[in-house]
Amino acid sequence: MTNQYNDDDLKSPLKNELAKNLPLQGMSRAKTLLPFLPFSRTTLHEWSRDGRFPKSVRLSPTMVAWRNSEVLEWLENHSNPVNNAQENANE
């Protein structure tokens, strides 16, 4: 399966501004995170499972959430062109 999303989608100034509204501490469910992300709920869960996005934490048998600090760090790393160039050079 090819990745239809690229890091250019993450450089949106609007998404970066929205991410500033996400609390540094605590956890958020998918519906809270999706406005900050350039991909769908399905991709969020797939990427969490395969390591391309922070791993979710199971809160109950039917509920998962993500640590806000890890999501914000991921957004910062994927919206900074310098970090992206360094990651690509290391691969």
Side-chain angles (χ1 to χ4, degrees):
M1 180 177 184
T2 61
N3 178 4
Q4 65 183 2
Y5 306 102
N6 61 42
D7 286 339
D8 291 337
D9 295 335
L10 297 168
K11 294 175 187 160
S12 165
L14 178 60
K15 293 205 183 297
N16 289 337
E17 286 302 313
L18 288 172
K20 291 178 184 176
N21 295 324
L22 193 65
L24 290 173
Q25 296 183 357
M27 301 178 86
S28 296
R29 307 257 333 264
K31 74 176 186 176
T32 305
L33 296 177
L34 287 170
F36 307 126
L37 305 173
F39 44 78
S40 70
R41 178 182 298 268
T42 302
T43 302
L44 172 62
H45 289 283
E46 287 176 4
W47 284 20
S48 292
R49 276 192 302 275
D50 71 16
R52 288 183 275 174
F53 192 77
K55 187 175 180 177
S56 61
V57 176
R58 185 159 298 283
L59 302 177
S60 77
T62 60
M63 186 185 310
V64 297
W66 287 261
R67 290 179 180 88
N68 291 343
S69 59
E70 293 176 1
V71 172
L72 289 168
E73 180 181 346
W74 185 89
L75 286 168
E76 180 66 28
N77 288 339
H78 287 80
S79 65
N80 184 341
V82 172
N83 287 342
N84 291 339
Q86 289 172 348
E87 288 174 9
N88 292 336
N90 292 335
E91 292 178 357

